Amino acid sequence: MKAEYSDVEMDEITAKSQNMQWYALHVLSGQEEKVKKNLEKRIKTEEMQDLVGEVVIPVERVSEVRKGKRIEINRKLYPGYVFLQIQLRDSSGKLIERAWYFVRETPGVIGFADGDNPLPMPREQVEGMLRQIQERTSSALPKTIFSVGDRVKVGDGPFLNSEGVIEEVDLERGKLRVSVNIFGRSTPVELEYWQVEKAS
């Protein structure tokens, strides 16, 4: 359920978030989700909403074949990093200790990505990251990127376990034209990305 705010409350929220900037936090690898949950929980319990905004882990949807079945998973774009919107300095540029220690004392956080004198991420970098998240979660990409000439093994369909060579890659449609050896003859077949894996 989405909370409804009055115009005055919305103006206050907007004014607060305008003072917040984005920072990259270096976290223990594999603990990104745990750190995100810790941060979000502490924002509420320690009433930090006036200084801390969003917590983001950029991911992309990827498809792969496991045990002959196509599955979609979320893959982290920046393993070992969590991005946080926070007001770290006051209007005079002085460090806000409450915000600093909020980040530093969160379990799993190693520190700010750029050390003990963190600089906010440039606006265009933040906008690019947020746009990238939106694009990459809307449709699944293949887990593996293929190129013309790659040797692949078919993991699904009538050509199961056949090996072939990629002749054409259609990234937009998620299709490959693969030359497969059928009855002693090289035959081009169209397959989807998720139906093949790189041959070892």
Side-chain angles (χ1 to χ4, degrees):
M1 189 173 125
K2 194 171 181 180
E4 299 214 5
Y5 299 102
S6 70
D7 289 342
V8 174
E9 288 172 318
M10 280 308 295
D11 288 343
E12 285 176 17
I13 290 166
T14 304
K16 284 177 188 170
S17 68
Q18 283 176 347
N19 293 328
M20 295 180 196
Q21 295 177 302
W22 286 92
Y23 293 86
L25 304 181
H26 191 202
V27 302
L28 294 172
S29 190
Q31 304 233 344
E32 297 88 353
E33 288 292 336
K34 192 174 180 182
V35 169
K36 182 178 192 275
K37 284 181 184 153
N38 283 337
L39 287 165
E40 289 171 340
K41 183 178 175 188
R42 291 184 65 218
I43 289 168
K44 288 180 185 154
T45 58
E46 297 177 29
E47 297 181 358
M48 295 290 290
Q49 295 90 334
D50 59 326
L51 294 175
V52 185
E54 288 185 70
V55 184
V56 173
I57 301 171
V59 295
E60 62 184 345
R61 301 259 332 134
V62 293
S63 62
E64 64 178 333
V65 177
R66 282 193 191 160
K67 296 181 183 170
K69 293 194 178 186
R70 178 186 180 199
I71 60 164
E72 288 187 5
I73 58 169
N74 283 334
R75 179 171 63 185
K76 293 173 191 75
L77 291 172
Y78 309 102
Y81 292 92
V82 170
F83 297 87
L84 179 68
Q85 186 186 33
I86 187 169
Q87 183 181 350
L88 204 54
R89 298 185 186 281
D90 63 20
S91 55
S92 65
K94 188 174 179 249
L95 194 68
I96 300 171
E97 288 192 14
R98 188 170 150 233
W100 171 263
Y101 287 110
F102 170 80
V103 172
R104 299 291 299 183
E105 293 174 357
T106 300
V109 173
I110 296 168
F112 287 91
D114 50 355
D116 289 340
N117 188 21
L119 296 171
M121 294 169 64
R123 183 184 186 93
E124 59 276 1
Q125 194 177 6
V126 172
E127 288 170 357
M129 177 185 73
L130 296 174
R131 191 171 44 253
Q132 187 180 34
I133 293 168
Q134 191 174 4
E135 290 168 359
R136 298 223 178 157
T137 52
S138 59
S139 61
L141 297 169
K143 184 174 182 183
T144 308
I145 301 300
F146 298 103
S147 303
V148 172
D150 286 350
R151 290 198 58 75
V152 292
K153 182 177 181 181
V154 181
D156 181 70
F159 306 106
L160 181 66
N161 294 326
S162 298
E163 287 196 14
V165 177
I166 296 175
E167 292 182 345
E168 187 180 317
V169 177
D170 186 342
L171 191 59
E172 284 187 22
R173 289 178 46 230
K175 305 260 186 190
L176 303 168
R177 192 168 74 223
V178 180
S179 178
V180 179
N181 196 349
I182 303 170
F183 305 118
R185 289 180 48 189
S186 183
T187 308
V189 293
E190 188 174 81
L191 299 167
E192 293 191 40
Y193 263 90
W194 64 270
Q195 290 180 290
V196 300
E197 57 188 47
K198 288 196 177 179
S200 46

